[in-house]
């Protein structure tokens, strides 16, 4: 019996905003554009016009709103989640502001700069019942795939601690 392809209901799209449109944001945007149930609706960068240029260069469908103040974006655009792709020292403040607006957050690495900031982000996550995920998942990296293959082959024996 042939397996049927999974059908994704794209009737309601997840509305995403990007905070910070430097180099790493391109990876986030590219990944979002590949998801049929995601819509990029807003972007923010401190430099006037940078977010708009990034979206245009990456061929994001028109209709997004652009900002130089992430708080204004969070206050005025209906969002479901944001990617925080800013300078490391601003990760915590942006993530906390988004969480306090009831949004899930994909936070670029490093999570935060200090332990105190990390604690505050986790408190905001818990307080708002939302999720923070750090953008460091190397599971598709060629090296990680090879490690997985070796471990699963049994060549190393039974792995009981890493």
């Amino acid at each position: 019996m042939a397996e049927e392809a999974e059908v994704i209901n794209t009737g309601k799209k997840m509305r995403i905003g990007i905070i910070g449109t430097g180099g790493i944001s391109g990876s986030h945007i590219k990944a979002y554009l590949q998801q049929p149930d995601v819509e990029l609706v807003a972007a923010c960068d401190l430099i006037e016009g940078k977010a708009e240029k990034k979206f245009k260069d990456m061929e994001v469908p028109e209709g997004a709103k652009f900002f130089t103040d992430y708080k204004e974006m969070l206050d005025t655009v209906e969002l479901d989640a944001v990617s925080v792709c800013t300078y490391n020292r601003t990760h915590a403040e942006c993530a906390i502001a988004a969480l306090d607006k009831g949004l899930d957050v994909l936070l670029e690495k490093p999570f935060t700069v200090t332990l105190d900031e990390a604690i505050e982000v986790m408190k905001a996550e818990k307080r708002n019942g939302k999720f923070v995920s750090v953008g460091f998942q190397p599971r598709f990296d060629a090296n990680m795939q090879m490690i997985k293959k070796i471990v699963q082959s049994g060549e190393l024996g039974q792995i009981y601690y890493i």
Side-chain angles (χ1 to χ4, degrees):
M1 176 183 227
E3 219 175 280
E4 290 185 34
E6 180 182 350
V7 177
I8 298 173
N9 177 359
T10 58
K12 179 178 182 328
K13 295 189 178 206
M14 182 175 239
R15 298 172 54 86
I16 304 291
I18 306 289
I19 302 175
T21 57
I24 196 64
S25 70
S27 296
H28 290 245
I29 293 167
K30 183 179 176 184
Y32 287 131
L33 289 173
Q34 294 174 6
Q35 306 306 314
D37 57 347
V38 170
E39 181 179 15
L40 289 164
V41 298
C44 173
D45 198 282
L46 293 172
I47 300 169
E48 182 78 40
K50 186 176 177 184
E52 189 169 10
K53 182 177 181 341
K54 184 73 162 204
F55 271 38
K56 183 177 181 181
D57 290 349
M58 297 205 63
E59 300 178 359
V60 175
E62 291 186 20
K65 295 182 180 176
F66 302 101
F67 301 85
T68 56
D69 179 350
Y70 75 90
K71 290 179 182 176
E72 181 183 359
M73 182 180 86
L74 296 176
D75 285 341
T76 60
V77 179
E78 183 185 331
L79 298 166
D80 298 304
V82 295
S83 276
V84 176
C85 304
T86 60
Y87 297 106
N88 298 350
R89 69 179 183 276
T90 62
H91 284 184
E93 74 177 69
C94 294
I96 292 168
L99 289 163
D100 284 342
K101 288 290 182 181
L103 305 175
D104 293 311
V105 176
L106 176 55
L107 182 58
E108 193 47 55
K109 65 184 184 319
F111 181 60
T112 61
V113 176
T114 69
L115 177 59
D116 289 338
E117 288 176 342
I119 291 167
E120 291 307 312
V121 171
M122 299 310 297
K123 285 180 181 177
E125 180 184 42
K126 188 170 204 155
R127 174 173 69 243
N128 292 291
K130 292 297 173 181
F131 296 100
V132 174
S133 180
V134 179
F136 184 68
Q137 294 87 19
R139 66 183 166 269
F140 298 114
D141 177 78
N143 292 327
M144 292 296 129
Q145 291 293 307
M146 180 55 72
I147 291 169
K148 180 180 179 184
K149 184 178 175 181
I150 292 168
V151 168
Q152 288 179 330
S153 76
E155 187 176 332
L156 299 176
Q158 182 181 355
I159 307 294
Y160 60 91
Y161 183 78
I162 295 177

